[in-house]
Amino acid sequence: MRRRFLARNRLIAALASVTVVVEAGSRSGSINTAGHAAALGRPLGAVPGPVTSGGSTGCHRLLREYGAVLVERAEHIVELVDGPSDEPAPLGGETRDEMAVLDALSTRAPRSADELAIRTGMAPSDVSASLGLLELGGRAVERGSGWVRSS
């Protein structure tokens, strides 16, 4: 129910060991949850969108005013939960799956996730996950009906 919305946010913040906000506007409910988490001393992470996007102003505010950690990869969330790992990130910051998808991408012709799954021999869900991480890292861009490698 709408009247329980803010109470629900407080409960989520209290139950979570880490709060990560993805592309949230300034008046988003997830920003409210992040504020409660910060008040409880919980680690905060933010996955902002473009600076020019109004839908990302909340995440940019979390980074500026609340000391949220910029999250670019799934490993960054694990670090928020477990602390920094001692093992170095893979060379270039990509996993084997990400490298396979990156190699299957063209710089000119957009390719769908299904086409990339066929080219790489990977499951479509794994291709989609890799595309998301490559996009966060600025290595792939969704264009029209598919994905291309960033130049």
Side-chain angles (χ1 to χ4, degrees), residues 38-52:
L40 293 169
R42 302 285 202 273
L44 289 177
V47 182
V51 176
T52 57

Side-chain angles (χ1 to χ4, degrees), residues 27-139:
R27 294 180 42 94
S28 167
S30 56
I31 298 301
N32 179 269
T33 303
H36 291 300
L40 293 169
R42 302 285 202 273
L44 289 177
V47 182
V51 176
T52 57
S53 170
S56 294
T57 57
C59 283
H60 291 284
R61 182 174 166 223
L62 288 176
L63 291 167
R64 275 190 331 273
E65 297 175 16
Y66 289 86
V69 174
L70 178 64
V71 174
E72 295 176 303
R73 308 176 53 74
E75 291 83 9
H76 296 158
I77 298 171
V78 173
E79 285 180 8
L80 281 172
V81 175
D82 297 336
S85 79
D86 293 335
E87 63 184 60
L91 186 61
E94 287 95 15
T95 64
R96 187 174 299 168
D97 285 351
E98 290 172 58
M99 289 303 296
V101 172
L102 191 61
D103 289 342
L105 286 171
S106 168
T107 56
R108 294 182 184 161
R111 294 187 175 142
S112 70
D114 290 335
E115 181 181 352
L116 292 168
I118 292 168
R119 287 177 178 264
T120 61
M122 295 168 51
S125 60
D126 292 337
V127 169
S128 294
S130 294
L131 285 168
L133 292 170
L134 288 169
E135 182 179 35
L136 283 174
R139 306 289 307 268

